[in-house]
Amino acid sequence: MLSTISSALVVGVLSIYFLAGLPRIKRFAWRLVPGTRRPRVILISDEILSRVGGYVLGNVLTSAIIGAGTSLWMFAFGIPYPILLGLFVALIDLIPVIGSYIGGAAVALLALTVSLPVAVATLVFYVCYKLAEDYLLVPRVMNRTVHVPATVTLVAVLIGGVLLGIVGALVAIPVAAAIRLLLNEVAFRRLDNN
């Protein structure tokens, strides 16, 4: 437990330092690129970072939706602590692939305090929501925020999850967005000009 807390604290502090130093890190990396190509590399890298930001925004949006849905479900069936658990589910849903399952299991266990049928209905609600989120909501949100088509989103998450597990599923959509952008801006332009 102490190891997990200290690791989370270290990751949080390093993230803050990294974000604070990001402009200097980018300037340093850009200086490694030949001057003739630097303006184009700056534009492409800024666009990639913008799409990664869109991915984070899309993830927060889908997490907020399940958090609100959880609170409404719990209010409707009289499950205790609806707002608190709604916030918990929204936060835990930020963990890709398994986050919503953990949140759904916690809410279903708490629903047992009401009755067994409510707990089973809650479990069914989460399974149905997870399917709808994975195949309907996430592809549409990512298409709007990251500009990656729905089929590419699904294939990227599947491939990333198979190759690298949870970490692969987490980085799959931003990597797919970066590859798509590089193909459009670099590879396809060169092929069209030849």
Side-chain angles (χ1 to χ4, degrees):
M1 178 74 168
L2 185 61
S3 172
T4 304
I5 293 171
S6 64
S7 295
L9 184 63
V10 167
V11 167
V13 169
L14 287 176
S15 297
I16 291 169
Y17 275 113
F18 180 74
L19 289 173
L22 188 60
R24 284 179 295 185
I25 293 169
K26 289 191 316 187
R27 282 194 301 272
F28 174 77
W30 291 334
R31 290 194 66 204
L32 297 173
V33 176
T36 58
R37 296 183 189 255
R38 197 170 295 153
R40 186 155 169 82
V41 168
I42 289 171
L43 286 173
I44 291 173
S45 63
D46 282 345
E47 183 63 27
I48 289 172
L49 288 175
S50 165
R51 293 196 181 182
V52 169
Y55 170 72
V56 171
L57 178 67
N59 224 2
V60 168
L61 179 64
T62 58
S63 293
I65 290 170
I66 188 58
T70 296
S71 292
L72 291 173
W73 179 268
M74 292 177 74
F75 273 124
F77 288 96
I79 302 170
Y81 313 113
I83 295 174
L84 182 64
L85 247 60
L87 288 172
F88 169 74
V89 168
L91 288 175
I92 200 97
D93 187 61
L94 291 172
I95 300 171
V97 182
I98 63 167
S100 59
Y101 291 116
I102 294 169
V107 174
L109 285 174
L110 189 62
L112 277 172
T113 63
V114 175
S115 71
L116 183 61
V118 171
V120 171
T122 301
L123 197 57
V124 169
F125 166 74
Y126 274 100
V127 168
C128 292
Y129 175 79
K130 186 63 180 165
L131 290 172
E133 179 186 54
D134 287 347
Y135 296 107
L136 298 174
L137 186 63
V138 168
R140 288 182 184 196
V141 169
M142 292 305 158
N143 187 24
R144 290 215 168 104
T145 59
V146 186
H147 307 293
V148 175
T151 52
V152 174
T153 300
L154 289 173
V155 170
V157 170
L158 289 173
I159 291 172
V162 167
L163 293 178
L164 298 172
I166 294 171
V167 174
L170 175 64
V171 299
I173 296 172
V175 168
I179 290 171
R180 185 170 186 263
L181 181 68
L182 289 172
L183 284 173
N184 286 334
E185 295 295 323
V186 178
F188 294 155
R189 284 191 183 194
R190 282 189 182 165
L191 290 172
D192 290 344
N193 290 335
N194 286 333

